[in-house]
Amino acid sequence: MGRLTRRTVIAALAIATGCYSTGEGPDPVPHAIYFPVGLAVSPGGGALYVANSDFDLQFNSGTVEAYDLARLRKILEPLWSTGDATVRACAAAGLGVNATPVLQPGVCGPLDLRSPPDAASNPEPIVKASARIGAFATDLLYVCHPSEDPTRRGSCSQSGTADPRGSRLFVPVRGDASLTFFEVDDDRPVTPPEPGVVRPSGAQTFRLDCGQAANNGRCADGHRAGVDAHDNTRGLTLPAEPFAIAVSERTDSILVTHQGSGSVSLFTGLGGASVLDAKPALQYVLGGLPGFTTGVAPLPIPGSVARLGLAATNYQPGFVITYRGIPGIPQVEILRVFDDSFAAPSRPFLSRAAAFPLQSTPSGTDSRGIAIDSQPRAACEADCEGRSDENTCVAACSQVALPAYIANRSPASLLVGEVRSPDPNGASDDITIYETVPLAQGPSRVVVGNIRDRRGVARKRVFVLAFDARIIFVYDPVEHRVDGQIRTGRGPYSLVMDPIEPIAYVGHFTDSYIGLVDLDESHGDTFESLVATIGVPNPPQESK
């Protein structure tokens, strides 16, 4: 992570021991990125959310902020829309020339969030909302209400419409061992109005509500799940070191891993409801796992199960988790969620369903981020719509293999495999890893997204962030090869795709800024490179 101060080393040791002091020091600097660990965008493309971790404990809290993404996109358009990231384009965007291109790649100087180049014509701040959270946040997840149509996959489908209840952000926080959540806007388009029915506009108001207005800017206890043992029937509190987070396809459960222990935590909505309808309840902590848990991803529910319903098919939703520090044969594992609906009261729990060895990396000891691509099965199911044998066709789609990708740190590689569901109505997924793609040091996260090719067609790519090597590797899942490398600044930690344009945003942990990546292949000079810096980089103290 570069050269850090003694204070940062102390903070790192505090993380390792589970000992924190988050109430001392000054308030965080407003409208500033500080050790960002999570990025998320609203599905309509109006807001960019950033989780700042306060990693070196310089302030008394971390923050979550909401940025006006449409405005950022417009200011930086001369850089990403033309492929002309030159000094001339910098001037057109109102930016200076980059004086430190080795540390922060790109031609232009940074966009100062507190003094943007369009401030004279638009005095409104780019940072539209902010709230204080505990120190050491680790991730950020945006979750929409799922469609009532069981044929639509994913809670934030671009083909879906805005839900009047809005959406939520979820942030695992180490400093207070909580799952902190925020009420935010769902800015997708709305359906056509119906007579007598008032529908929301789907507008982006930059709502970011965790009860901070009545709590001195800090998220209130009502938005911090897992901290009060009285919130559940088992008397549980969230264990130390919450790390990665994933939500089930129907948004009725959340799984949190713990990188300092062999355990995972299950949150559910009350009475089987969505985790978006009320404060999520910590229902179960599964311990005794064979290694420190790191990555997590939900298993897509077979289409026939989605149509018939989980209760009718007795289907148990599942998650896949990865490990580090596991002795013996490295593996990934499937955990199943049981709703315990026949008990009074019901007490949901987790069960270890199956473990699958990472055959292609017999010496691997440190697996991190994992992603499962549900699109091939969704496309198969979409082709079944309207057929006379639609139900039979949809059931057969469960046989379609879903690509799976794991970022592996030891050895440094991308693991490529697949998930299959032999029983269209059963919880019987199999995972096979069949390929290892060598990478540079420090792979940590994997994101499935798209580039735009020279003909303007979206092409799927897998993006693997290598924190130590300062590279984002771009893997072509059709050609089975790495076809690009994006040189980043120090400590690329998180990546999110823009839902509207062929660009992406990279959170740089070490120097505290966000990089904008051009993903339009027709831009020969700037394709798969950082073309803009959002926020003034802030190096660790000792390296200034």
Side-chain angles (χ1 to χ4, degrees):
M1 297 183 186
R3 298 178 64 199
L4 303 179
T5 67
R6 178 177 178 273
R7 188 173 189 176
T8 304
V9 174
I10 292 173
L13 291 174
I15 291 173
T17 61
C19 175
Y20 309 97
S21 174
T22 59
E24 299 178 355
D27 289 345
V29 176
H31 300 189
I33 301 168
Y34 201 67
F35 291 112
V37 292
L39 301 178
V41 296
S42 58
L48 171 67
Y49 303 98
V50 181
N52 297 299
S53 68
D54 186 31
F55 181 76
D56 64 356
L57 295 180
Q58 182 174 342
F59 305 108
N60 59 28
S61 64
T63 62
V64 172
E65 296 186 324
Y67 298 168
D68 185 341
L69 184 55
R71 184 175 171 190
L72 286 172
R73 206 184 286 119
K74 182 178 180 180
I75 293 172
L76 299 173
E77 186 174 8
L79 304 178
W80 60 262
S81 67
T82 63
D84 180 30
T86 62
V87 173
R88 179 180 58 214
C90 297
L95 303 174
V97 177
N98 186 4
T100 56
V102 174
L103 289 180
Q104 291 91 40
V107 176
C108 302
L111 187 160
D112 188 340
L113 293 169
R114 285 171 285 186
S115 181
D118 66 345
S121 59
N122 187 352
E124 291 293 317
I126 287 179
V127 181
K128 309 297 286 188
S130 180
R132 290 155 56 198
I133 60 173
F136 310 133
T138 56
D139 207 347
L140 181 64
L141 180 66
Y142 184 104
V143 182
C144 303
H145 284 273
S147 170
E148 294 181 359
D149 181 353
T151 66
R152 294 192 182 277
R153 290 191 170 274
S155 68
C156 285
S157 170
Q158 291 299 112
S159 61
T161 55
D163 191 288
R165 295 166 292 182
S167 301
R168 274 185 178 173
L169 291 177
F170 293 92
V171 183
V173 182
R174 290 177 178 176
D176 55 13
S178 74
L179 180 61
T180 301
F181 62 95
F182 301 79
E183 311 295 343
V184 295
D185 293 323
D186 181 350
D187 60 358
R188 291 175 293 178
V190 297
T191 56
E194 299 174 4
V197 177
V198 178
R199 295 192 177 274
S201 66
Q204 180 56 252
T205 67
F206 303 101
R207 182 186 185 199
L208 186 71
D209 181 12
C210 65
Q212 74 273 29
N215 198 41
N216 195 30
R218 188 182 292 268
C219 290
D221 289 346
H223 286 258
R224 296 166 57 243
V227 299
D228 188 346
H230 295 94
D231 285 347
N232 59 81
T233 60
R234 291 188 170 95
L236 298 172
T237 57
L238 190 66
E241 307 303 317
F243 186 61
I245 180 175
V247 66
S248 62
E249 195 170 67
R250 299 306 299 171
T251 72
D252 52 7
S253 58
I254 284 176
L255 208 67
V256 176
T257 63
H258 298 270
Q259 71 163 352
S261 64
S263 61
V264 294
S265 296
L266 171 68
F267 291 83
T268 72
L270 298 177
S274 168
V275 294
L276 304 175
D277 291 330
K279 182 179 181 179
L282 175 61
Q283 298 282 12
Y284 196 77
V285 176
L286 177 63
L289 298 175
F292 299 152
T293 57
T294 51
V296 58
L299 283 169
I301 299 173
S304 54
V305 172
R307 283 165 167 76
L308 295 172
L310 272 62
T313 57
N314 195 30
Y315 180 88
Q316 294 82 41
F319 293 85
V320 183
I321 60 171
T322 61
Y323 292 105
R324 71 176 179 89
I326 188 170
I329 299 175
Q331 66 185 38
V332 295
E333 194 159 350
I334 290 179
L335 307 180
R336 295 284 177 186
V337 179
F338 290 79
D339 59 21
D340 197 31
S341 59
F342 292 106
S346 63
R347 303 173 78 193
F349 63 93
L350 288 167
S351 179
R352 298 173 68 184
F356 301 91
L358 303 179
Q359 301 98 326
S360 57
T361 58
S363 62
T365 58
D366 191 353
S367 298
R368 297 294 177 103
I370 178 172
I372 299 173
D373 182 8
S374 63
Q375 192 276 331
R377 189 178 294 172
C380 176
E381 293 166 357
D383 289 340
C384 297
E385 293 183 13
R387 290 178 42 162
S388 59
D389 62 343
E390 180 173 338
N391 289 339
T392 301
C393 177
V394 168
C397 290
S398 67
Q399 302 295 315
V400 174
L402 302 181
Y405 308 98
I406 299 173
N408 210 56
R409 289 181 69 91
S410 177
S413 55
L414 171 66
L415 308 184
V416 183
E418 63 186 23
V419 176
R420 290 184 180 271
S421 305
D423 183 353
N425 295 329
S428 58
D429 302 275
D430 294 322
I431 301 175
T432 303
I433 302 296
Y434 55 77
E435 182 180 359
T436 299
V437 182
L439 302 177
Q441 185 178 9
S444 55
R445 296 204 179 190
V446 56
V447 176
V448 178
N450 293 307
I451 65 167
R452 179 185 291 172
D453 71 11
R454 291 181 176 85
R455 294 182 297 276
V457 177
R459 300 291 182 186
K460 186 167 294 182
R461 292 294 186 267
V462 180
F463 301 86
V464 188
L465 282 71
F467 185 98
D468 301 334
R470 296 176 51 185
I471 296 173
I472 299 174
F473 291 93
V474 185
Y475 175 80
D476 184 339
V478 175
E479 299 294 335
H480 291 271
R481 63 184 178 89
V482 173
D483 70 353
Q485 296 184 22
I486 302 170
R487 171 62 65 178
T488 71
R490 296 188 294 179
Y493 193 93
S494 54
L495 174 75
V496 67
M497 314 300 294
D498 191 289
I500 298 176
E501 302 291 351
I503 51 182
Y505 308 94
V506 184
H508 289 77
F509 180 88
T510 306
D511 291 320
S512 297
Y513 68 96
I514 297 168
L516 186 151
V517 182
D518 182 354
L519 295 177
D520 190 331
E521 194 176 30
S522 68
H523 299 163
D525 293 335
T526 60
F527 175 59
E528 292 184 347
S529 67
L530 266 68
V531 297
T533 296
I534 300 171
V536 178
N538 183 17
Q541 296 290 328
E542 191 172 299
S543 63
K544 285 187 177 178

